[in-house]
Amino acid sequence: MNDTPTELEELLRDGLDRLTCGARLREGVAPLIRRRAHRVQRARYAAGAGAAAVITAAALTVTAGGTSSPQPTQGEAYVISHVTSALTAPAYAHDVLHTVSIGPVGWHSQTWSDQDAARVQQQGMDLGSHRSGRQYVDEFVGYRSKTWWQFSTSDSQFVQMLSAISELEPVQSLSGCSHQQGSPSANTNWRFYIRDLLSCGAFKVTGHAHVDGTAVLVLTASTRLTKSTVLATRPGEPHHALSETLLVNATSYLPVRLSWNEATGAHQVLASTDFHWLRPTVTNLASLTITIPPGFHRVSHP
Amino acid sequence: VRADRDDGLERLLAERGDQLIRAAIALAGSRSEGEELLQAGLERLVRNWRRVKDDDPEGYLRRTLCNLAADDWRRRVRWGRKLHLLRDDNPAPGEATAVVDQRDQLIRLLRQLPPRQRAVIVLRYWEQRSEAEVAELLGCTEGTVKSTASRGLHKLRELVETSRTTHANLVEDKS
């Protein structure tokens, strides 16, 4: 494969031709799409009603004088409203969010993020982006290849990607929940993700627990979803059963842990992410940026 | 309005369905994700039919597909796919010696590009659209299209080189 763009472009065209070759839209899709669109629309209206209930519940709480201690009778609307508020509260706006995720087959990753920077560390690589004056600096370290690159730009793709998450209209699933598109990736913007997750109204408050001595409320959502779509050319693709558990601090309402249990037939995937909300100390802020290890060689930015 | 929409959707899918599913597959990088992408686009088309019916429903749908693909519409990567990518980075010794069709390998590497770069590459070099057309579809400037396409190709060449080097090293280690 030579480096000449012409040959690369030619191979790309051939490859995409092969990928799409023979793909045909099966007949009778239009009515299915319409039915699904109606279901999604109804779910949206329902979600809108749910959101209104959340706002009303919050307003009623304030009118009643509020309470700082969690009550066993707290309903979904109350808890979800407080979690959503906590995620956007000025008190935590400058905190460094540190996440530790584990998945199947030893998969693990860590992220650190605040308003101006984000860093993902996983499986032999470190990828970060931070603001430096009026520019963003993207950095990458590959620990296996012992390479690194750095790139300064005013329109960092990485930061754009993170901010785009907040603006993107969620893809609606069969039940109207946007989170059913699967488990998040390492570079998920967690604040937005959890707000999205709760907005679909699938979570119920199912109990109280303690995590490392901290009282938490347990919210769970369980649903069946399909990987296949109504357009699937291979009917009968297995359905996924997805259950999610969100633990939130019973006092601050900040998320403490989110875990997934996704099952397809006999195959089961377990994964979880722990959230640590760190004060913006010098040490914690330093975690947001990558230190290039000595001896690594610089390569050009991709 | 509903009958008009139903007729219009039926007609669009009957006449252009195959081209649309192929475009969605190319943008998404796989058949199953292409199907999901097209479905998401069609649902938006149905929801906004009243607004776009007199304009150009297919144009709206194609713009939606491009934008959904460029904005990383799935937003989240399933653990399975993430693991698959990681396995690609560290192929087992047995897999390293397998003969891989360059074109298929390139498409796999294409999936590793950021969504916007991937969308620009597909629109420019597969759909053979002009920079101006791509810019209009994605709602950006021609300059952005040009630089994104250039970066995308550059990144692809690097990925190809990295993949080739890793492959060669593994073959060497094995021998």
Side-chain angles (χ1 to χ4, degrees):
Chain A
M1 208 178 290
N2 281 341
D3 277 358
T4 57
T6 310
E7 189 179 350
L8 188 69
E9 290 162 23
E10 197 61 43
L11 284 165
L12 265 173
R13 267 195 291 278
D14 282 355
L16 286 166
D17 280 344
R18 275 164 63 100
L19 177 70
T20 59
C21 176
R24 302 201 61 180
L25 191 65
R26 66 187 174 99
E27 291 178 8
V29 161
L32 296 171
I33 288 289
R34 283 198 300 270
R35 276 203 293 276
R36 256 188 62 94
H38 291 157
R39 270 203 301 269
V40 169
Q41 198 72 39
R42 281 201 299 273
R44 284 184 156 194
Y45 287 141
V54 169
I55 293 164
T56 308
L60 287 173
T61 304
V62 172
T63 308
T67 173
S68 59
S69 61
Q71 300 301 312
T73 53
Q74 285 175 358
E76 282 74 36
Y78 180 92
V79 173
I80 288 170
S81 156
H82 279 63
V83 175
T84 307
S85 298
L87 289 168
T88 53
Y92 307 110
H94 300 287
D95 279 4
V96 175
L97 172 56
H98 176 214
T99 72
V100 180
S101 300
I102 54 170
V105 207
W107 189 93
H108 61 92
S109 80
Q110 292 191 82
T111 70
W112 295 262
S113 60
D114 74 354
Q115 289 182 318
D116 294 324
R119 176 184 170 193
V120 178
Q121 187 183 65
Q122 65 171 26
Q123 313 290 79
M125 58 147 270
D126 226 330
L127 178 64
S129 182
H130 64 272
R131 192 197 296 271
S132 176
R134 299 186 64 177
Q135 291 213 310
Y136 286 107
V137 179
D138 291 351
E139 285 176 315
F140 171 86
V141 172
Y143 293 103
R144 290 196 189 94
S145 58
K146 295 192 172 178
T147 57
W148 65 280
W149 55 252
Q150 190 181 66
F151 183 69
S152 298
T153 177
S154 57
D155 62 341
S156 160
Q157 282 192 323
F158 189 65
V159 170
Q160 272 188 346
M161 180 185 76
L162 291 178
S163 61
I165 288 172
S166 65
E167 296 157 8
L168 192 64
E169 184 183 348
V171 175
Q172 298 293 313
S173 63
L174 285 165
S175 71
C177 288
S178 62
H179 69 281
Q180 292 186 359
Q181 295 303 311
S183 305
S185 64
N187 51 16
T188 293
N189 184 321
W190 289 103
R191 291 174 198 253
F192 294 124
Y193 181 84
I194 292 168
R195 275 159 53 193
D196 266 5
L197 197 67
L198 296 174
S199 67
C200 84
F203 276 82
K204 306 290 177 203
V205 179
T206 52
H208 299 258
H210 282 83
V211 175
D212 299 330
T214 303
V216 296
L217 297 169
V218 183
L219 287 85
T220 55
S222 183
T223 186
R224 290 185 69 78
L225 60 144
T226 56
K227 181 181 180 302
S228 62
T229 67
V230 296
L231 305 182
T233 46
R234 293 174 299 282
E237 282 189 24
H239 286 239
H240 291 229
L242 175 69
S243 63
E244 290 170 286
T245 304
L246 176 65
L247 306 181
V248 298
N249 186 303
T251 305
S252 69
Y253 290 93
L254 287 171
V256 172
R257 179 175 296 160
L258 182 60
S259 50
W260 301 265
N261 183 342
E262 189 171 350
T264 312
H267 183 63
Q268 196 170 51
V269 174
L270 298 168
S272 70
T273 292
D274 282 353
F275 301 92
H276 307 283
W277 304 84
L278 310 176
R279 301 307 302 165
T281 62
V282 172
T283 307
N284 291 334
L285 289 171
S287 304
L288 292 162
T289 50
I290 298 172
T291 304
I292 312 296
F296 279 39
H297 66 275
R298 187 171 188 167
V299 295
S300 60
H301 169 253
Chain B
V1 171
R2 183 171 289 184
D4 172 49
R5 182 196 64 193
D6 292 354
D7 287 349
L9 187 64
E10 296 272 8
R11 200 163 49 247
L12 174 65
L13 293 183
E15 292 172 2
R16 306 288 298 160
D18 291 349
Q19 285 85 348
L20 288 166
I21 188 71
R22 283 173 201 151
I25 290 168
L27 284 167
S30 77
R31 294 206 173 202
S32 62
E33 286 172 36
E35 288 162 357
E36 290 180 45
L37 175 61
L38 180 56
Q39 175 171 322
L42 285 170
E43 285 170 16
R44 285 195 182 196
L45 177 64
V46 169
R47 288 205 299 273
N48 294 294
W49 186 265
R50 192 178 299 192
R51 185 159 58 82
V52 301
K53 68 182 172 66
D54 295 327
D55 184 14
D56 174 15
E58 184 183 349
Y60 171 84
L61 179 56
R62 282 186 176 270
R63 280 194 302 278
T64 303
L65 293 178
C66 292
N67 280 294
L68 286 172
D71 288 340
D72 197 8
W73 68 289
R74 291 178 64 79
R75 298 198 299 160
R76 291 173 266 283
V77 182
R78 287 177 188 279
W79 294 107
R81 193 177 317 125
K82 177 67 74 182
L83 289 167
H84 176 68
L85 287 179
L86 292 171
R87 279 202 299 271
D88 279 353
D89 290 342
N90 306 282
E95 294 168 339
T97 53
V99 178
V100 180
D101 186 290
Q102 286 185 335
R103 290 166 296 188
D104 292 340
Q105 182 197 18
L106 201 53
I107 296 308
R108 207 171 64 240
L109 296 175
L110 182 65
R111 285 168 58 94
Q112 294 183 30
L113 292 186
R116 186 161 285 265
Q117 275 182 10
R118 194 171 62 225
V120 168
I121 295 276
V122 169
L123 293 169
R124 280 287 286 131
Y125 302 113
W126 185 63
E127 292 205 356
Q128 312 250 320
R129 289 176 184 270
S130 69
E131 284 167 357
E133 287 175 317
V134 177
E136 193 184 340
L137 277 167
L138 296 178
C140 59
T141 65
E142 287 183 45
T144 303
V145 171
K146 197 170 185 170
S147 61
T148 307
S150 169
R151 277 189 202 175
L153 283 180
H154 183 78
K155 170 81 175 170
L156 263 183
R157 280 198 293 277
E158 280 207 349
L159 286 172
V160 167
E161 279 307 314
T162 305
S163 172
R164 198 191 289 158
T165 307
T166 309
H167 179 92
N169 288 343
L170 284 166
V171 171
E172 196 177 307
D173 287 349
K174 202 181 175 196
S175 61

